[in-house]
Structures are given as C-alpha cells and as structure tokens.
C-alpha cells in the first residue's frame, strides 16, 4: 500500500529560511506516516492500507479456528471481574502455546495501564511491576513485558482492550525501505509542492500466536 503526503512551501522560504525547510517537512511527514501506520497495524481495514490485527473476526478461545482471533472474556461487561479481577490477566498468557508465550508481550493503552497496574493477586501482591526506562527495565504485567500502544482501544463494553502475543510471529509488516520525496513546482506556482511517498503493508500471519482480552461477560 502507498501512503502519501503533499506539503507545500514557497520558493522564497526555501531560498531564504535559515533552516532546511525541505528536511523539516520530510521529518514532519515521517512522524505523520508513523502514526498512520501504527493505527493501521492495530485497526486498519485493509482497504489501501495494512489490515490491523483487531479487524479480523473474534471467537472465544473454546471455539477458535484458524483465520480468527481468539479471545478470553473478563466475565464482566466493560470491566475486569469484580470478585477476582486478576484471574483473566493470569489466565490469558496460558491460552498461548509455550513456543509463543516465551516471546510474548502485552499491548494496551495508557488508560488500560491505569486500570491493570492496581490489580492484585489473591496473595496481595501487585500483578504490575514498574520498570525503569533509564536502566532499560520494562514494565511487566503478570511477569510479561507490557508495551504501551495508544492505538489500542480503551476499556469499554465489549472492547478488546488488551492483547497478548508473540508479535514478531503473529503480525507481518511488509515495508519497502525508503522514503521518497519529489519536488513539483508546476501545480501551484510560486509554491513548491513536495510529494512524499512510502509503501507499506501488513496483516496477521500466525493467528495462533496472539490472543485478546475482551471486557465482556462472555
């Protein structure tokens, strides 16, 4: 798939500015591209963009089959179970085969982190362990690395707000290396239009390498 941006700058600004305007526009576009790609990898519909891993059909783990995304329900609509909130967080990793579980990590947004970091096991200890970015120590949940992703849905009724998997094997990103920039002075003179272009694709390749936690009764 192709992602495009077409910023413009006047010829005078390109000639007179104390900074490299073209480089600044290219950097800004690359940030925008990265954000758009991140959204697509999670929820993209596959129409002229990567297909996100949350765009496939969901089925409960007991009925899982290839081509679908398996999930475990929390047992309470829109929340963790009030009686034993940590159970689902401890059980979901066990829904993966050991070969995938060894390299698996969590995905969730910051709102979800705010919820799960206060959950305790039955013996009273927190399932969340705070990392130290300065020392390269990651945050963990139930013993597995937790990666924050703002593109993941927030906790809500029926939301698949947490995902757990071996993402290197679960999701394939096809990224043609290179970020192309073409100058076009003819469309809107005296403005210079920059055509910035990147090609990227993605989709699930191993449906057995990840699972989601659905915040629902079933």
């Amino acid at each position: 798939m192709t992602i495009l941006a077409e910023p413009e700058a006047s010829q005078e600004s390109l000639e007179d500015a104390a900074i490299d305007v073209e480089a600044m526009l290219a950097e800004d576009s690359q940030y925008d591209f990265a954000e758009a790609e991140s959204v697509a990898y999670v929820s993209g519909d596959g129409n002229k963009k990567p297909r996100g891993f949350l765009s496939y059909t969901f089925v409960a783990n007991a009925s899982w089959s290839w081509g679908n995304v398996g999930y475990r329900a929390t047992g309470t609509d829109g929340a963790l179970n009030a009686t034993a909130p940590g159970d689902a967080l401890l059980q979901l990793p066990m829904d993966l085969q050991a070969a995938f579980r060894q390299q698996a990590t969590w995905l969730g947004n910051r709102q979800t982190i705010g919820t799960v970091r206060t959950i305790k096991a039955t013996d009273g200890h927190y399932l969340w362990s705070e990392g130290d970015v300065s020392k390269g120590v990651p945050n963990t949940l139930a013993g597995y690395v937790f990666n924050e992703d703002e593109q993941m849905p927030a906790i809500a009724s029926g939301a698949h707000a947490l995902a757990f998997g071996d993402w290197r094997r679960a999701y394939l990103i096809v990224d043609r290396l290179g970020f192309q920039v073409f100058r076009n002075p003819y469309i809107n003179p005296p403005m210079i239009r920059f055509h910035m272009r990147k090609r990227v694709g993605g989709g699930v390749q191993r449906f057995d390498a990840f699972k989601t936690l659905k915040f629902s009764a079933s």
Side-chain angles (χ1 to χ4, degrees):
M1 319 301 176
T2 302
I3 184 169
L4 299 168
E6 295 184 333
E8 291 185 343
S10 68
Q11 182 63 47
E12 289 80 3
S13 67
L14 294 173
E15 293 170 346
D16 300 340
I19 62 172
D20 187 336
V21 175
E22 181 176 345
M24 180 189 70
L25 293 174
E27 183 177 5
D28 287 346
S29 294
Q30 289 186 67
Y31 281 125
D32 291 340
F33 284 7
E35 183 174 359
E37 289 174 50
S38 182
V39 172
Y41 297 150
V42 174
S43 58
D45 60 12
N47 181 20
K48 298 182 179 180
K49 62 175 71 70
R51 184 171 181 183
F53 65 86
L54 293 185
S55 71
Y56 294 81
T57 301
F58 294 101
V59 296
N61 284 329
S63 305
W64 179 82
S65 60
W66 193 266
N68 300 307
V69 175
Y71 73 84
R72 174 179 289 274
T74 61
T76 300
D77 190 38
L80 292 167
N81 186 275
T83 304
D87 283 3
L89 302 175
L90 292 169
Q91 292 166 346
L92 187 66
M94 296 301 107
D95 291 331
L96 284 186
Q97 299 175 31
F100 300 125
R101 194 169 62 246
Q102 293 172 0
Q103 303 298 324
T105 59
W106 295 93
L107 281 180
N109 68 21
R110 67 179 183 273
Q111 184 259 14
T112 301
I113 292 175
T115 297
V116 301
R117 70 187 302 171
T118 63
I119 302 302
K120 295 181 180 180
T122 53
D123 63 1
H125 79 272
Y126 285 100
L127 298 182
W128 179 270
S129 178
E130 197 73 23
D132 188 335
V133 176
S134 65
K135 297 180 180 179
V137 179
N139 298 323
T140 62
L141 176 65
Y144 295 93
V145 172
F146 195 107
N147 292 316
E148 184 177 348
D149 189 335
E150 288 306 306
Q151 310 310 327
M152 287 291 291
I155 293 175
S157 176
H160 295 261
L162 275 173
F164 180 79
D166 181 346
W167 301 107
R168 290 185 179 181
R169 300 173 72 180
Y171 195 85
L172 178 65
I173 295 175
V174 183
D175 193 352
R176 180 173 174 79
L177 297 178
F179 176 83
Q180 297 174 313
V181 180
F182 303 98
R183 282 193 181 207
N184 189 334
Y186 305 111
I187 291 180
N188 187 28
M191 303 299 289
I192 306 299
R193 181 171 297 182
F194 295 91
H195 299 275
M196 299 181 179
R197 175 175 177 268
K198 185 180 181 183
R199 294 174 61 198
V200 64
V204 172
Q205 66 172 351
R206 290 296 303 252
F207 288 91
D208 54 348
F210 75 104
K211 303 290 182 181
T212 67
L213 187 64
K214 183 180 181 183
F215 286 73
S216 66
S218 61

